[in-house]
Amino acid sequence: MLLIPDDQRRTRLARRHRLAAPAGSVVEATRAMTCLHATEPASVHLAAFARCRASVAEIDQALYEDRSVVKQLAMRRTVFAFPRELLPAVWGSAAARVAVQQRKRLAGDVEKAGITRDGPRWVEETTAAVLAALHEQGPMTTTELRAALPALEARIVVSPGKTYGGEFPIAPRVLTTLAASGSIVRGDNDGGWKTSRPRWTVATDWVDVGPPLTEAAGYAALVTSWLRTFGPGTETDLTWWLGATKSAVRRALAEVEAVEVRLAQGTGWVLPDDLDDEEPVDPWAALLPALDPTTMGWKERAFYLGDHAERLFDANGNGGPTAWWDGRIVGGWTQREDGSVVVVPAEPLDATAMRALDAEAESLTEWLGGDVVKSIYQSPLARAAG
């Protein structure tokens, strides 16, 4: 069995994630990563800048004018920005799985809240009403939909007594269910690049990409793309990243004829045409945002994270802003009140590494132009640095 050592995995990461050499466009950078995380609206822009040095206007153009990159709720009930052509695969597999889960939970919660005795029927009628309103009146924000449809004004109590529980409005839950199903998408944004106020839009009005693929074809397409971006990766990595079952992952690996390879710890998988080594790259530096797809691409992260997990990830496994040197996470970064970016090392770094990271900080500071990005996923390391 072919051995792919950790240094080769880091070289692959450098080249394929467009961190050692920039991509030529926003959509090229997105395709290189399979998708960009979009849980926080600013993360798409920061991740794209790190890989292609695009301006905010160029990134917005890709998202809202060209629509070559589209935001979609998918794996692990997380919002991602996908290259448009990958949407049918996502809709038929990872997003469909989330949609079924969300519809069932919503039906149960509205029954528990006393809103209805027939949860499934309420969900069916309410989601149909939202779609009808969007068809008739065009794209609307959540606030506008709530004003148009009184059923969306309801509130429900979820997980009482839990730290994450409380009383929540029903509208986001309904829209999440529809978004996961691929019926609606986040259209243009009624706010700045750091805010999330999407105008919900009927998916077929926003992009014309055809119907969803079958579940098997969808997972095969996603696994192919993931292996091209992140391979070699383990079955555990893929199962976690896709939010899927092991059986679904194993079927997809068989479908794409993935090849098993040895890793420094255990075994992983690559595509059958991806067995050759990548040529070495020069040392490189990068500052990546919270939940960046490189940081979050694997579940088993030792080959690039080392022993920094507790300082750079929160208790739920969410990675904060990270500083990279030559294929490894070596720290984080934060911003001062004036918007300037500051590198926070997690280990001793030599002068060459610090100069390169400081240069990245200067470049990012200039690009931000005084804007301060306040991520809720700030790492413990950065929080301690103030």
Side-chain angles (χ1 to χ4, degrees), residues 16 21 57 130 168 207 230 270 288-289 342:
R16 299 180 186 192
V130 171
F168 301 97
V207 287
F230 299 101
V270 295
L288 303 182
V342 180

Side-chain angles (χ1 to χ4, degrees), residues 349-364:
L349 298 174
D350 63 28
T352 300
M354 281 306 307
R355 280 196 299 271
L357 287 167
D358 285 341
E360 288 294 308
E362 291 177 10
S363 178
L364 182 54

Side-chain angles (χ1 to χ4, degrees), residues 165-213:
E167 186 179 77
F168 301 97
I170 200 72
R173 295 282 301 279
V174 173
L175 295 171
T176 291
T177 300
L178 278 167
S181 72
S183 300
I184 63 175
V185 295
R186 291 162 171 79
D188 58 355
N189 192 32
D190 185 29
W193 67 279
K194 297 186 298 177
T195 62
S196 180
R197 288 199 293 270
R199 291 185 177 90
W200 295 100
T201 306
V202 176
T204 51
D205 291 343
W206 188 252
V207 287
D208 181 12
V209 293
L213 299 184

Side-chain angles (χ1 to χ4, degrees), residues 36 120 194 227 282 285 293 307 371:
L36 304 179
K194 297 186 298 177
L227 288 174
D282 292 333
D307 62 356
D371 278 331

Side-chain angles (χ1 to χ4, degrees), residues 13 17 33 35-39 43 51 75-76 78 80 226 229-230 236-243 288-301 303-305 309 312-314 316-322 324 329 377:
L13 178 158
H17 294 202
M33 297 309 305
C35 55
L36 304 179
H37 276 257
T39 301
S43 62
R51 293 171 172 86
M75 301 82 72
R76 309 185 309 281
T78 297
F80 295 90
W226 187 91
T229 298
F230 299 101
T236 298
D237 292 329
L238 259 172
T239 302
W240 171 80
W241 188 88
L242 282 170
L288 303 182
L291 302 180
D292 186 85
T294 299
T295 306
M296 302 296 293
W298 298 265
K299 184 174 177 63
E300 300 179 315
R301 304 172 176 131
F303 76 97
Y304 64 91
L305 182 57
L312 290 161
F313 285 74
D314 66 20
N316 295 317
N318 299 306
T322 51
W324 292 69
I329 295 178
Y377 302 105

